[in-house]
Amino acid sequence: MTEQPLPLPAEHRPHGVREWRSADAREWLAAAPGRWARPQWAALALIATYAWAFVDSPGPVCTDSAPCQFDWWPVVFFGFAVLQLYWLVRQPVVALWVVPPTAAANLLHGDALGTASDVSRLAVTAAAGFAVVGLLYRLELARRQRHLAMRAAGDARYTLPPRLVPFTRGRISLVFGVGCLALAAFGLWRGSAVVAEDESRAAAATRVEAEVLGYRENGLAVTLLPEGRRHHVDAFGDHRKGDRVTVLIDGDWSRLAAEPPDAGAWEALVLVGGLPGLAFVVNALVGRRRAARLRSLPVPALRVLIKEKDDDPRVWVYAHDDRHGTTPVLTFHSLPTDEDEDEEDEEEEDADERERALDGEGAESVVESVLGAMRDQTPPVLREAVLYGPPSVGAEVAFTAVGGRDLDEIVTECSATPVRAVERRERRGRSRSLARLALDLEPTAAPRVWSAGGWTRLVGLALGAFQAAGIWALLSDGFSWQWFLLLGLPALIGTTATALNWRIVADRTGLWTTGGWRIHHVPWERISSIHLNGSTLEITQPGDEDDAALEPVGWPALERRLGGGESDTERLLAELRAMYHDPSLRPADESTPAQRGTPLGPLFTLLLLVWAVTVLVLP
C-alpha cells in the first residue's frame, strides 16, 4: 500500500490548471456558514412555532346557522409549510422564494393557521424571518466561496471534457415528480367532483332534526325527530349525548347540515402526490439549470485530490498538497457520465460473448471469473483529479480522475447532489489516515482484542426485549396462525447475540471473529479485503472460502456525531487494515479460546425457548 496519490495522466489535465493549495482550501472553509445558520435550526424554529399555532388554534365551531364549508386552501397552506422545511435544507434559493410568501399568508390569511391567536401567528412569522436571514447569509457566503475558488483557479477557463457535455441531470426525478403531480391532479379533480356532488345533494335534501345518542363504530348514532327512528351519520366534530343536530337526508345519503362534505381521502391523495411531486420537479429543474450553467461556458478548474470510502458513497475532495488525505474540504454524491458509443458497442460485444459462453461448456469458468471479479474489490485510494466549476456550498461540479475497479481507466463524473462543506467535527474524525495510524501502532506479542461496545450492546438488549415481547404477544392467547411469525426469530437471534457479544481477535495466525453462532478464523494470507458495509464488518477471502462478517459492530456516522468526531468502529477498521497491510504490526503470540469468546446464539435461543414455554403454561 502507498500513501502517494494516484496521479492523473498529463494528457487529461488541462494546460495551466492550478493546484488547490491547503491555504486556499482553509480560506474557502472559513467562508462556510456558521452553526447558527444551519438550516436545521430554522426548520426546528418553524416546526415549533407551527406546533404552537396548531395547539393554540381551537377547532372550528360548526352550527346549523353557520355551517362549515369545504375549502382547498388549508391543504395548500399545509403543503407549502412542509415543502419550505425541505427546501430550507436542500434548495436555499427556492426556499428564499417560498418562505416569505408563506409567512405572509400565515399572518394575513384566515385559513392558513385556522383560528390561531395573533401571538402564535407572529411567532411563526418571526421564525420565518430567522429562516430568511439564515438563507441570505448562506447565499452570500456561497458567493464568497465561488469568488475564492475562482481566485485560486486564476484567470484561465476551460471547456468540459466531451463526456461531460451531454450529461443531463434530473431526468428520473422529473419523470417521477410529474407522475406524482398527475396523481395529485387526479385527487384534486375527484375531490372537487365529490364536493360538488355532495353540495348538490345537500341542496335537494330534507332537513330533519335529530337527537344524538352517541358514537358507534360506523359513525354518530342519532334519533330522528319526531318519529324516533335511529340513523347513523358521519361526524367530524365532538357531539355529546342529548345534543340536538340537523341531519340532511336524500335517499340513502345523509350528513350533518353543520359540517362540510367529506373529501378527506382526496385531500390526502393531493398531499401524498403533490408534496413529493413538487419536491422532485423543483429539484430536477434546479439541477438541470445548474448543470446547463456549468456546461454553457468555459469554467475555472482546479487540481485536487479525491477519495471514496468503503462505507460512504460520497466523493470527498482534498487540497492538492494534502498528500495523506487528512483534511477533507468538501463532499458530494456523483454519477458517472455516459460512455462513448464505441465503448458501448464493445461492452455489448463482450456481453454477447459472455452469453454465448454461458450457453456452452465454458459456463462454469465464466461464472467463476465473475464471482472472482466481485470479490476482488480494490479499496478506495487517494487519487488526483481535475475539478471543473467553482465549488461553493450548493453548487454543481464535475471532475475527471483515475477510476474503475482496477484503477486503470479515466472516469468523468458529475455531482448528483449539491456540494457541501465538510464540518470541522467531520474533518477531525477523519484526520488520521491509515499510514499515520500504522505509525502510532506498536507491535506487541499479546493478541489484540476488540469487543462489543455500549451502543451495540444497548441495541442487542432492545432487540432481545422486542423478541420477548413478540413471543408474549403471539403465544399468550393460545394457538394462532400468527405463530408462523416466529420463523423470523433465528435471524433476529443471530443479530441480537452478535450485538451483545461480538469479538475480534488478531493474533499471529490471523483474525478470529466471534459472532452470534460461530467463531470464524481467517488466516492473514487468505484475507483479500477488510471493509465496512453499513454496520457490518466484512473480511473477504478469494475463491470459494467463506467470508467472515459481523453485524452489527457499530454505526460510524452516529458515533462521529455523538463522540465529537471520533468513531470507534472506523478506528477498529483502520487498525485491522494497518495490521493486514503491515505484517510487522501483527501480534507474535497465538490467542487462547478464552480470549476468542463464546457465541451467545445458542444460549439466547435456550432463554427464548424457556420464556416461550413459560408464556404457554401461564394461566
Side-chain angles (χ1 to χ4, degrees):
M1 187 191 72
T2 176
E3 285 291 329
Q4 180 68 29
L6 291 178
L8 182 66
E11 60 269 21
H12 294 283
R13 297 197 304 263
H15 177 70
V17 62
R18 291 186 180 182
E19 299 175 352
W20 201 14
R21 313 296 294 181
S22 293
D24 295 325
R26 284 193 295 269
E27 191 175 4
W28 186 92
L29 278 172
R35 289 190 175 184
W36 73 268
R38 288 180 179 176
Q40 290 86 344
W41 297 121
L44 286 175
L46 285 170
I47 291 173
T49 52
Y50 275 129
W52 178 20
F54 178 78
V55 173
D56 191 39
S57 175
V61 179
C62 303
T63 63
D64 294 341
S65 58
C68 295
Q69 302 295 324
F70 178 84
D71 199 345
W72 287 104
W73 279 113
V75 177
V76 174
F77 286 126
F78 176 80
F80 275 96
V82 174
L83 284 173
Q84 71 175 345
L85 299 176
Y86 171 73
W87 284 328
L88 269 173
V89 179
R90 291 297 304 272
Q91 303 289 356
V93 176
V94 177
L96 194 59
W97 285 93
V98 173
V99 173
T102 305
N106 290 331
L107 186 64
L108 301 175
H109 201 286
D111 290 334
L113 293 176
T115 55
S117 66
D118 292 340
V119 176
S120 57
R121 288 177 184 268
L122 288 175
V124 173
T125 305
F130 173 68
V132 170
V133 171
L135 288 170
L136 292 173
Y137 173 72
R138 289 162 59 195
L139 293 174
E140 174 59 26
L141 290 185
R143 186 197 63 79
R144 173 167 172 75
Q145 285 182 322
R146 286 194 298 272
H147 171 74
L148 293 173
M150 294 173 70
R151 188 185 68 181
D155 297 331
R157 297 294 181 265
Y158 307 92
T159 56
L160 296 182
R163 286 186 180 182
L164 291 174
V165 174
F167 183 79
T168 56
R169 286 265 280 110
R171 287 177 294 186
I172 296 178
S173 295
L174 191 61
V175 171
F176 181 78
V178 170
C180 289
L181 288 179
L183 186 65
F186 174 76
L188 180 63
W189 170 63
R190 287 299 306 149
S192 300
V194 167
V195 171
E197 181 183 359
D198 185 282
E199 292 177 347
S200 176
R201 299 195 72 169
T206 302
R207 300 172 66 90
V208 179
E209 187 178 1
E211 181 180 346
V212 175
L213 296 177
Y215 286 91
R216 301 293 185 266
E217 293 183 359
N218 55 346
L220 186 69
V222 297
T223 299
L224 301 181
L225 301 176
E227 64 268 22
R229 181 168 56 90
R230 288 194 176 189
H231 194 78
H232 290 85
V233 291
D234 294 330
F236 305 117
D238 294 329
H239 299 276
R240 291 173 298 180
K241 184 177 181 180
D243 288 348
R244 294 296 181 93
V245 295
T246 300
V247 180
L248 301 177
I249 299 178
D250 182 19
D252 58 350
W253 175 92
S254 64
R255 71 169 171 87
L256 295 181
E259 295 187 349
D262 181 12
W266 301 111
E267 289 178 307
L269 184 61
V270 170
L271 288 175
V272 169
L275 291 181
L278 278 175
F280 276 98
V281 167
V282 169
N283 285 347
L285 295 178
V286 171
R288 292 172 76 89
R289 179 176 176 272
R290 287 173 176 166
R293 185 169 54 189
L294 180 65
R295 291 156 180 76
S296 60
L297 296 173
V299 295
L302 290 166
R303 292 175 65 186
V304 297
L305 301 178
I306 65 171
K307 187 176 183 181
E308 291 94 358
K309 299 179 182 297
D310 282 333
D311 60 336
D312 195 333
R314 290 177 290 179
V315 175
W316 298 81
V317 178
Y318 304 81
H320 193 272
D321 56 348
D322 187 1
R323 313 304 288 180
H324 295 288
T326 58
T327 308
V329 182
L330 58 92
T331 182
F332 54 87
H333 292 81
S334 66
L335 289 175
T337 60
D338 295 332
E339 302 291 341
D340 292 338
E341 292 183 0
D342 294 340
E343 294 182 355
E344 290 179 357
D345 293 340
E346 292 177 2
E347 291 180 358
E348 290 178 0
E349 292 177 1
D350 293 341
D352 292 339
E353 291 179 2
R354 289 194 296 269
E355 186 175 354
R356 287 193 295 269
L358 285 173
D359 291 336
E361 297 178 355
E364 184 176 351
S365 62
V366 172
V367 172
E368 187 60 36
S369 65
V370 171
L371 292 176
M374 292 174 63
R375 297 188 188 101
D376 186 20
Q377 295 294 326
T378 304
V381 297
L382 207 59
R383 300 170 286 155
E384 185 183 30
V386 174
L387 191 70
Y388 292 92
S392 63
V393 174
E396 185 99 3
V397 294
F399 69 87
T400 298
V402 175
R405 185 176 60 83
D406 297 322
L407 300 176
D408 59 353
E409 59 182 274
I410 303 299
V411 297
T412 54
E413 299 188 15
C414 292
S415 59
T417 57
V419 167
R420 184 175 68 84
V422 180
E423 296 181 4
R424 183 176 302 171
R425 184 167 57 183
E426 290 181 280
R427 298 197 298 273
R428 184 168 66 248
R430 292 171 168 81
S431 61
R432 304 181 68 188
S433 66
L434 181 58
R436 293 191 176 188
L437 180 59
L439 292 175
D440 293 341
L441 288 176
E442 296 181 359
T444 61
R448 295 182 182 271
V449 181
W450 300 266
S451 60
W455 281 109
T456 54
R457 284 176 176 160
L458 182 63
V459 170
L461 290 174
L463 288 175
F466 172 77
Q467 293 168 70
I471 290 176
W472 172 270
L474 293 174
L475 302 183
S476 59
D477 293 333
F479 177 79
S480 171
W481 292 109
Q482 293 180 345
W483 283 17
F484 76 91
L485 295 175
L486 296 174
L487 297 176
L489 282 181
L492 281 178
I493 290 173
T495 301
T496 304
T498 301
L500 289 172
N501 197 49
W502 68 261
R503 182 170 296 196
I504 300 174
V505 179
D507 63 8
R508 179 177 59 84
T509 63
L511 294 177
W512 299 81
T513 62
T514 302
W517 300 105
R518 58 176 295 193
I519 299 177
H520 202 125
H521 179 239
V522 184
W524 291 111
E525 62 274 10
R526 296 294 301 168
I527 296 176
S528 61
S529 69
I530 305 173
H531 59 276
L532 272 173
N533 184 11
S535 62
T536 304
L537 179 72
E538 297 179 348
I539 304 173
T540 61
Q541 302 183 73
D544 296 329
E545 298 291 336
D546 292 336
D547 298 336
L550 292 178
E551 198 276 328
V553 295
W555 296 269
L558 179 63
E559 292 167 6
R560 287 194 299 269
R561 183 169 295 275
L562 298 177
E566 295 294 334
S567 168
D568 292 337
T569 306
E570 288 181 332
R571 180 181 178 86
L572 162 65
L573 177 67
E575 291 178 352
L576 291 175
R577 283 180 170 174
M579 288 186 289
Y580 164 57
H581 289 283
D582 188 354
S584 65
L585 298 175
R586 301 170 186 172
D589 297 341
E590 292 190 25
S591 58
T592 63
Q595 289 174 318
R596 300 166 196 162
T598 303
L600 289 185
L603 177 60
F604 192 68
T605 302
L606 179 61
L607 291 176
L608 288 181
L609 288 175
V610 171
W611 171 243
V613 172
T614 303
V615 172
L616 287 173
V617 300
L618 283 176

